[in-house]
């Protein structure tokens, strides 16, 4: 049985699953699923929940290998038969409850240096409810004695894609190679242009976008409400519309693009991983706010 911590305020209800990768089991507004709900009778995986944390890196590191400060590192491959290291390791770890109040849930995770990531670190997630919104703040703290690369992200799956319309404004997108890694950055083509609300095309896109303004929205006209996602200061996002069998849309605010650690040598580029000094923290904030359609 997967333990969840439930909270409600105003029209919003959530359930946090600390033992399931620190994932959000559900987000509902007036009883409607905003994000894909976790199925208690189904397989127990964070990536089958509504959203889950990407830490200490986002999405893929090519072949689970990279160099930093003159040293080559090899990571354990952690995603089935994928040749890459995927989504960090926070989503495959058990988090601990740090604090609970009427409107806030804080969970934490501490990991030693290992084959999964070569430096020690600690992460926290704070889930905060208001009457019409959920805010999640994810922070990574460097526990090593030297500067290290780090990255963060959220992986929300919006529910009922077939009934939805999506707005996701971005200026540029990375085309993928045959290994599903970014190879070329171009202006967003018409087929992936969601600057105005449109129905998502199933199985059409799973790419890193840049020049994003940190805001996206999903609305469900038949249900009369919408959800607006904001991630202040974030200019990168992964936009993923899987095939019709999954009936979700993922809009993932991320601090860097896929495989950034092998594409950029420093953190002076908005697409790169950050370099975090000893004892310092890197944080990412995401708010999902619901409202009636006008």
């Amino acid at each position: 049985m997967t333990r969840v911590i439930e909270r409600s305020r105003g029209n919003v209800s959530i359930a946090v699953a600390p033992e399931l990768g620190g994932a959000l089991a559900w987000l509902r507004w007036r009883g409607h699923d905003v994000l894909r709900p976790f199925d208690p009778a189904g397989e127990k995986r964070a990536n089958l929940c509504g959203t889950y944390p990407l830490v200490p890196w986002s999405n893929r590191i090519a072949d689970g290998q990279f160099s930093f400060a003159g040293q080559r590192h090899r990571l354990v491959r952690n995603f089935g038969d994928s040749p890459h290291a995927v989504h960090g390791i926070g989503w495959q770890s058990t988090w601990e409850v740090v604090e609970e109040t009427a409107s806030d849930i804080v969970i934490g995770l501490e990991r030693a240096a290992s084959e999964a990531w070569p430096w020690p670190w600690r992460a926290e997630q704070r889930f905060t409810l208001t009457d019409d919104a959920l805010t999640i703040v994810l922070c990574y703290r460097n526990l090593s004695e030297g500067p290290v690369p780090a990255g963060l992200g959220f992986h929300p799956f919006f529910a009922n894609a077939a009934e939805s319309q999506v707005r996701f404004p971005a200026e540029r997108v990375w085309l993928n190679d045959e290994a599903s890694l970014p190879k070329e950055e171009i202006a967003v083509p018409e087929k992936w242009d969601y600057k105005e609300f449109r129905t998502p095309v199933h199985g059409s896109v799973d790419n890193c976008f840049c020049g994003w303004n940190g805001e996206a929205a999903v609305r469900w006209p038949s249900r009369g409400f919408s959800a607006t996602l904001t991630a202040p200061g974030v200019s990168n996002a992964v936009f993923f519309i899987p095939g019709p069998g999954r009936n979700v849309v993922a809009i993932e605010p991320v601090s860097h693009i896929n495989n950034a650690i092998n594409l950029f040598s420093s953190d002076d580029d908005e697409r790169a991983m950050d370099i975090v000094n000893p004892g310092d923290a890197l944080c990412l904030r995401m708010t999902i706010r619901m409202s009636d359609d006008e």
Side-chain angles (χ1 to χ4, degrees), residues 48-239:
L48 295 177
C49 291
T51 186
Y52 57 95
L54 310 180
V55 58
W57 76 86
S58 162
N59 285 277
R60 301 171 182 89
I61 294 179
D63 300 317
Q65 300 182 55
F66 66 93
S67 295
F68 181 75
Q71 186 171 356
R72 190 70 176 168
H73 299 280
R74 182 185 295 271
L75 305 178
V76 172
R77 296 171 183 174
N78 64 331
F79 196 69
D81 60 1
S82 171
H84 312 306
V86 179
H87 291 331
I89 53 177
W91 69 287
Q92 295 174 319
S93 303
T94 297
W95 296 58
E96 297 182 350
V97 178
V98 175
E99 178 185 347
E100 293 185 63
T101 68
S103 299
D104 291 75
I105 300 169
V106 182
I107 59 176
L109 171 67
E110 187 167 323
R111 295 292 298 264
S114 69
E115 292 182 350
W117 193 243
W119 303 282
W121 53 281
R122 177 171 176 79
E124 280 195 355
Q125 288 186 89
R126 178 178 291 272
F127 301 81
T128 301
L129 284 178
T130 63
D131 289 347
D132 62 355
L134 167 68
T135 295
I136 310 175
V137 179
L138 171 65
C139 291
Y140 163 95
R141 187 170 298 278
N142 177 14
L143 301 182
S144 76
E145 297 180 354
V148 302
L152 300 173
F154 296 106
H155 203 308
F157 286 102
F158 288 89
N160 300 306
E163 301 176 26
S164 76
Q165 296 174 342
V166 175
R167 186 182 69 221
F168 172 69
E171 299 300 324
R172 304 182 306 280
V173 62
W174 283 82
L175 301 179
N176 294 331
D177 63 16
E178 62 281 356
S180 299
L181 298 171
K183 67 173 183 178
E184 179 186 0
E185 188 180 34
I186 64 169
V188 174
E190 182 178 353
K191 65 179 179 177
W192 293 336
D193 186 353
Y194 283 78
K195 288 186 175 67
E196 303 296 334
F197 277 109
R198 56 181 283 203
T199 302
V201 179
H202 291 299
S204 60
V205 63
D206 184 6
N207 297 71
C208 302
F209 287 72
C210 303
W212 179 46
N213 68 359
E215 182 173 312
V218 180
R219 67 186 183 191
W220 296 267
S222 64
R223 304 188 182 201
F225 80 99
S226 60
T228 300
L229 181 156
T230 54
V234 179
S235 60
N236 307 303
V238 176
F239 189 31

Side-chain angles (χ1 to χ4, degrees), residues 225-269:
F225 80 99
S226 60
T228 300
L229 181 156
T230 54
V234 179
S235 60
N236 307 303
V238 176
F239 189 31
F240 174 35
I241 308 175
R246 297 178 65 183
N247 198 24
V248 292
V249 171
I251 302 171
E252 310 164 36
V254 293
S255 64
H256 60 87
I257 71 165
N258 293 3
N259 199 34
I261 199 166
N262 287 307
L263 296 176
F264 304 100
S265 59
S266 68
D267 66 342
D268 59 358
D269 189 297

Side-chain angles (χ1 to χ4, degrees), residues 8-14 26-35 37 159-160 223 225 290:
S8 295
R9 179 170 171 177
N11 293 311
V12 184
S13 62
I14 65 169
W26 66 73
L27 167 62
R28 293 175 177 141
W29 189 75
R30 295 180 179 170
H32 294 292
D33 285 312
V34 178
L35 302 180
N160 300 306
R223 304 188 182 201
F225 80 99
M290 284 64 69

